Amino acid sequence: MMNSPCRYRFAGAVLSVALMLAACSPQGGAPAPDASQQQAQVQAAAAARNLDTYRQLLRIGNDGMAVSMGHDIVNHYPDSAAAKEVQQSLPAIEKRYTEASEKNRLAALWVYQVSPMAGGTQSTATIVSSQPSGNDRVQLVLRRHTSWGQSVFLYGSKPGFICHGNCTLTATVDGKPAHIKVFAPPTGEPALMMVDDKGFITMLHKAKKISLDVTFAEGEKKQTLVYEVGGFDPAKWVSLGKGKKK
């Protein structure tokens, strides 16, 4: 039977071992996260930061940057809570941004000017054909002049177009066939004047795309001119309030 001093020494040794084991174990008994868990925590934190940026961009109305950030979150953190939240709003935001961008693009195709012209003042709205490109591009011009009144014409480069007397251009307006009567100006400019300018402008107000088949005088080259007219803003084509009216 162990005597008392031995019992005390044995008990002290057991207590020391227990204290050492406790010191080496994680506090609270929870195991330390492994490498994959640490990586998941880092990604969750990054997704949360990007989500906060996405929310701020929506608050200030920056749809373009919000769409970019939203796709970044969904692509890089697809299983995160941030991605789930973004997917609830991103389709609508992207649709709105795409529509606004296209509207701005079409509007930017038009140029509006008021300037002196041949002893009077003219107000013009001009768009250049989106097809063809290069030297074959042709302007479509809406003009109001204080002396000459209102006119609509195509204006290209010399030697202009083939048209003897009145000509009829084969046209397509938003996919529907049409015919537009024109004439070459007697003064020799490389232009084709619309016979019914008022009717053309009325049609233009409702159209998105107009195609006109012409023949260039140089080489008798046939070409289809395409105009994306959907961004026309009648309010920016200034009415001069003088001269002839149609």
Side-chain angles (χ1 to χ4, degrees):
M1 186 171 183
M2 190 179 295
N3 58 30
S4 295
C6 290
R7 286 199 302 269
Y8 293 148
R9 285 197 295 273
F10 179 76
V14 172
L15 179 59
S16 297
V17 172
L19 291 173
M20 290 175 62
L21 291 174
C24 293
S25 300
Q27 292 184 357
D34 59 24
S36 63
Q37 291 172 326
Q38 291 177 357
Q39 181 64 21
Q41 291 173 357
V42 170
Q43 290 193 344
R49 288 193 299 270
N50 287 357
L51 177 61
D52 184 61
T53 301
Y54 176 77
R55 291 168 176 167
Q56 292 182 42
L57 290 169
L58 292 183
R59 281 195 293 270
I60 65 175
N62 191 334
D63 286 349
M65 290 297 294
V67 168
S68 178
M69 179 59 71
H71 280 294
D72 183 78
I73 293 171
V74 172
N75 292 336
H76 288 88
Y77 315 105
D79 299 323
S80 66
K84 291 180 181 178
E85 179 177 328
V86 168
Q87 287 171 329
Q88 297 299 313
S89 58
L90 183 58
I93 301 301
E94 187 165 25
K95 181 175 182 293
R96 183 174 69 194
Y97 173 67
T98 300
E99 290 175 349
S101 297
E102 179 64 4
K103 181 178 179 180
N104 292 336
R105 184 188 74 84
L106 292 173
L109 297 178
W110 286 92
V111 176
Y112 306 88
Q113 292 181 321
V114 176
S115 59
M117 178 64 178
T121 301
Q122 71 173 10
S123 170
T124 58
T126 305
I127 187 172
V128 178
S129 58
S130 55
Q131 297 178 27
S133 59
N135 295 332
D136 288 341
R137 299 182 78 180
V138 175
Q139 294 180 336
L140 170 62
V141 184
L142 316 183
R143 181 176 65 191
R144 291 175 175 139
H145 191 279
T146 50
S147 297
W148 306 333
Q150 178 177 280
S151 57
V152 178
F153 55 93
L154 300 174
Y155 194 89
S157 56
K158 291 185 177 181
F161 308 90
I162 292 179
C163 179
H164 304 290
N166 286 354
C167 310
T168 299
L169 301 182
T170 299
T172 304
V173 181
D174 294 337
K176 298 180 180 179
H179 294 87
I180 298 174
K181 291 183 178 181
V182 298
F183 64 93
T187 46
E189 291 88 353
L192 291 175
M193 312 293 295
M194 308 293 177
V195 172
D196 183 9
D197 56 271
K198 185 175 180 180
F200 186 89
I201 292 169
T202 299
M203 176 188 68
L204 177 67
H205 285 176
K206 303 175 183 178
K208 294 181 179 179
K209 183 182 289 187
I210 298 175
S211 300
L212 302 168
D213 293 341
V214 300
T215 303
F216 291 114
E218 185 174 3
E220 297 188 5
K221 180 181 178 180
K222 297 183 182 298
Q223 184 68 64
T224 298
L225 309 176
V226 179
Y227 296 94
E228 297 179 89
V229 298
F232 175 60
D233 185 350
K236 293 183 178 180
W237 184 31
V238 176
S239 179
L240 299 176
K242 295 180 180 180
K244 300 175 184 178
K245 297 182 179 179
K246 292 185 179 182

